[in-house]
Amino acid sequence: MKYQLFLCSLAIAGAAAFAPASQARTSTALNMDRREVMGKAAFVAAGLVGLPALANADGSVSFATIGRARGIYGGRVAGLKSAVEKGDLAAIAEDQNAFILFNSGVYARDKPKLKAANAKTAELFKAVNAGDTSAVKSIYAAYIKENEINPLPAISSDGGQGYSCDYDYRARTSAGAIYVR
């Protein structure tokens, strides 16, 4: 009995869903004056003008990417300190891309600092190509000081956690300690 009642209610609901609706025909004439139409058109135009600014928010330069560039490439630049002190110009020339990527990553939003860092990098590699170790030492020291480059700190798992996932730039570095029970 309950099953038959359920089937009947299901059939009635299906028939009601596909039954033609009886509604009055609506008027297609717009009941607005010109001021109202122009106001709405101006509102829509102002909204469309602001849309391209939203498309520019791609996130390619953020505080996270700047910090990542400072951590990865700043660490590589700071790691050249022993090569600079030894006068190993080949090791410095081999890691030229670290300087370029540091400059473009850290100063992507600050064009005057980017220009100054690129000029100092060009000066450094001009001295490297000339083989002038004393000039390389002084220019490298000035570059490190001006750009506030510090190597990543060495963290042990006893002293704290250095990163939280494998996608963190500190993973597999001296700053990448994680406590595991």
Side-chain angles (χ1 to χ4, degrees):
M1 181 72 183
K2 290 183 183 180
Y3 183 68
Q4 289 176 349
L5 186 61
F6 173 73
L7 286 178
C8 285
S9 64
L10 191 64
I12 292 171
F18 294 108
S22 62
Q23 55 179 317
R25 186 176 178 111
T26 59
S27 173
T28 58
L30 295 177
N31 295 328
M32 288 192 233
D33 61 344
R34 281 189 216 171
R35 287 184 184 172
E36 193 174 345
V37 170
M38 294 305 285
K40 287 185 179 182
F43 181 74
V44 169
L48 291 176
V49 168
L51 284 179
L54 296 176
N56 195 20
D58 63 347
S60 63
V61 179
S62 65
F63 292 116
T65 58
I66 291 170
R68 184 175 176 86
R70 185 171 284 283
I72 293 172
Y73 305 115
R76 284 176 51 188
V77 169
L80 291 172
K81 184 176 183 179
S82 62
V84 169
E85 289 172 354
K86 292 177 190 174
D88 187 5
L89 300 178
I92 300 166
E94 188 176 308
D95 218 2
Q96 180 177 4
N97 286 337
F99 289 89
I100 295 167
L101 292 170
F102 176 84
N103 295 344
S104 64
V106 173
Y107 300 123
R109 289 183 175 171
D110 194 351
K111 300 302 179 194
K113 285 187 178 181
L114 175 64
K115 188 175 180 180
N118 284 339
K120 189 62 82 172
T121 301
E123 186 182 350
L124 175 70
F125 284 99
K126 188 175 180 182
V128 167
N129 292 335
D132 189 358
T133 57
S134 63
V136 168
K137 288 180 183 180
S138 65
I139 295 168
Y140 177 81
Y143 182 84
I144 294 290
K145 184 178 180 184
E146 289 171 8
N147 295 302
E148 300 172 359
I149 298 175
N150 298 311
L152 291 173
I155 297 176
S156 70
S157 60
D158 297 332
Q161 184 166 320
Y163 72 101
S164 61
C165 70
D166 285 337
Y167 299 107
D168 195 330
Y169 67 91
R170 293 168 289 200
R172 296 171 296 284
T173 65
S174 62
I178 192 163
Y179 175 75
V180 179
R181 288 189 209 180

